[in-house]
Amino acid sequence: MSHEDATHGPAPLGSVDPEPMHRAVDALAAALHEYVQTAVGVRAEFGASEADEDPRVLALENRVGQLNASVFDALHDGLGMHPDLTSSVWEGDEEEDEHTHDAPEGAVPAEVFYLGFVVADPTPGSPGTLDGVVELLDEAGGDVAQRLFDGGYEVAEWATSRGAAVEFGDDDLDDELDDRLDDRLDDRLDDRLDDEDGDDPLGGAR
């Protein structure tokens, strides 16, 4: 659906059929109930870390993710809205989280964003390895950080991890990530300056 259509316009929509949206929500709810049942059964047989990596659990997590997207699409297509329904928010915690960052006065607010992949072992005979996935994502992370930087964003930290999301807030890790990002940005800046000097056509193969 184009953002130029009436659904995304400023005028009220009037009568809207909510049935497709309810069907998408019902399918998601059923998948969540199935996930609970499966997770309880798996946890009864295995430890917590093994249960997290159980193929049945991972498959259902992937299915729930797809159905989350279906709910988004149903609301987006029917209402032209962009709902944020997958964020996790804990309210009422009296104790401050150990990873909470106290931003200095006047600092620009920042948030943590994640992009996750569930990657299976390569097929027999394939040259790839799971360790190679980390290298590939690390390269992609550098490209994304650069694109954000070019777009005017300040990328305070970024990292590639395997098995769990990175816990930002470790000073040693922060320094390592800052140095890595600085090196990448310096390299990109040097390349850009070389392009402007005529050593390499801008946008050409590197």
Side-chain angles (χ1 to χ4, degrees), residues 68-86:
N68 274 328
S70 296
V71 171
F72 179 97
D73 287 342
L75 292 166
H76 179 257
D77 292 346
L79 304 176
M81 298 172 61
H82 302 81
D84 180 8
L85 301 177
T86 56

Side-chain angles (χ1 to χ4, degrees), residues 27-149:
L28 174 59
L32 288 171
H33 285 300
E34 184 178 353
Y35 177 86
V36 171
Q37 289 296 109
T38 300
V40 169
V42 171
R43 189 63 179 87
E45 301 179 35
F46 302 101
S49 59
E50 291 86 355
D52 276 334
E53 300 300 324
D54 188 279
R56 293 164 291 180
V57 171
L58 295 177
L60 279 169
E61 289 176 348
N62 182 65
R63 182 180 171 195
V64 168
Q66 292 175 341
L67 290 171
N68 274 328
S70 296
V71 171
F72 179 97
D73 287 342
L75 292 166
H76 179 257
D77 292 346
L79 304 176
M81 298 172 61
H82 302 81
D84 180 8
L85 301 177
T86 56
S87 298
S88 299
V89 180
W90 285 264
E91 296 181 350
D93 292 340
E94 295 182 0
E95 295 184 3
E96 185 178 13
D97 185 79
E98 62 177 344
H99 297 296
T100 299
H101 294 267
D102 292 326
E105 184 177 355
V108 178
E111 295 185 23
V112 178
F113 294 84
Y114 292 106
L115 176 64
F117 297 85
V118 178
V119 181
D121 288 326
T123 57
S126 298
T129 65
L130 290 181
D131 289 336
V133 174
V134 176
E135 297 177 5
L136 178 62
L137 294 180
D138 192 59
E139 293 177 3
D143 292 337
V144 172
Q146 178 63 42
R147 291 179 62 182
L148 290 170
F149 180 79

Side-chain angles (χ1 to χ4, degrees), residues 1 16 47 49 104 134 156 170 179 181 193:
M1 176 175 290
V16 175
S49 59
V134 176
D170 185 299
D179 291 342
L181 180 57
L193 291 175

